Amino acid sequence: MKNNVIKGSIVILILLLFLISVAAVSSADEENKDVTIMTLSKGGITIQYPSDWGNSQSTSNYSVMAISKIDSVDALGVGQININIEKKPIEGDDFETFVNSSYDKMQRDTSFKLVSSGRVSIDGKEGLEYVYTSTKGTAEKEHKAIWFEKGGQAYAIMYSAPISDFEKNLYVFDFLLSNIQIN
């Protein structure tokens, strides 16, 4: 009798765990059901991104376009979780020297810390990658920038987020990079 009660309890526990996992998967599917892929073209650049992100303001003078996670946009229209695409003319030096000089200047500022840098290849495009952190007041952010050169212009695709949100939103940056078109 005791064995039957234990077996029955185990069966009930397994059924309960199964029902909980089905409910969790259904809930996740419903959350993602409303997300569609959007396209934005501006300044010779075309990107695709999920609909829970949208146009936002950028604080950079070189910005061609910026998108942010919609629920992270502040009263000024700037997203705390954002992707900014910039275009700068390469002045004087070659592409690599031009890009590296930007980060040489940043490293002199103690609020920035370079985590890694190096060459990357994304969908056949050769570029440079920089990962760094910054602190402004009490806000700590992580950043990832991929730089490409085309036609004497340096293109920077930069993702920034508070450190606690960086990894969980990185997939949008990766998706954008794999689908970006620079004309």
Side-chain angles (χ1 to χ4, degrees):
M1 174 91 169
K2 206 174 197 182
N3 283 340
N4 287 339
V5 171
I6 291 174
K7 286 180 186 177
S9 297
I10 291 173
V11 169
I12 290 173
L13 180 63
I14 290 171
L15 277 173
L16 204 65
L17 290 172
F18 175 75
L19 290 173
I20 290 171
S21 66
V22 167
V25 168
S26 296
S27 173
D29 285 346
E30 285 180 25
E31 287 177 20
N32 292 330
K33 192 184 294 183
D34 295 334
V35 176
T36 57
I37 300 301
M38 308 294 288
T39 301
L40 177 62
S41 291
K42 192 174 176 184
I45 298 171
T46 302
I47 61 168
Q48 293 183 323
Y49 60 95
S51 60
D52 56 344
W53 287 59
N55 261 337
S56 63
Q57 298 298 316
S58 172
T59 57
S60 169
N61 294 332
Y62 295 101
S63 183
V64 174
M65 67 175 71
I67 62 169
S68 297
K69 190 165 186 184
I70 292 172
D71 61 5
S72 79
V73 177
D74 63 20
L76 299 174
V78 177
Q80 300 309 303
I81 302 171
N82 66 67
I83 298 171
N84 185 39
I85 301 173
E86 295 184 1
K87 177 176 155 181
K88 298 179 181 182
I90 300 171
E91 299 170 356
D93 300 318
D94 64 272
F95 170 70
E96 192 167 339
T97 303
F98 173 77
V99 174
N100 286 332
S101 68
S102 298
Y103 292 94
D104 290 342
K105 293 173 191 170
M106 284 174 53
Q107 287 185 34
R108 289 184 221 127
D109 183 342
T110 58
S111 65
F112 289 90
K113 180 183 175 194
L114 185 61
V115 175
S116 66
S117 65
R119 295 181 179 279
V120 293
S121 180
I122 298 171
D123 288 341
K125 299 176 197 108
E126 298 299 318
L128 299 172
E129 176 185 81
Y130 290 83
V131 178
Y132 58 97
T133 59
S134 68
T135 306
K136 187 174 185 179
T138 59
E140 248 190 310
K141 285 186 140 185
E142 189 165 352
H143 313 269
K144 184 173 186 176
I146 305 290
W147 291 76
F148 297 103
E149 187 267 331
K150 185 171 183 177
Q153 301 286 317
Y155 292 86
I157 300 94
M158 298 178 286
Y159 165 57
S160 297
I163 288 177
S164 60
D165 294 317
F166 187 83
E167 286 297 325
K168 65 184 167 189
N169 292 287
L170 186 59
Y171 74 97
V172 175
F173 180 71
D174 293 338
F175 175 78
L176 185 145
L177 280 174
S178 67
N179 292 289
I180 193 168
Q181 295 174 12
I182 301 173
N183 303 319

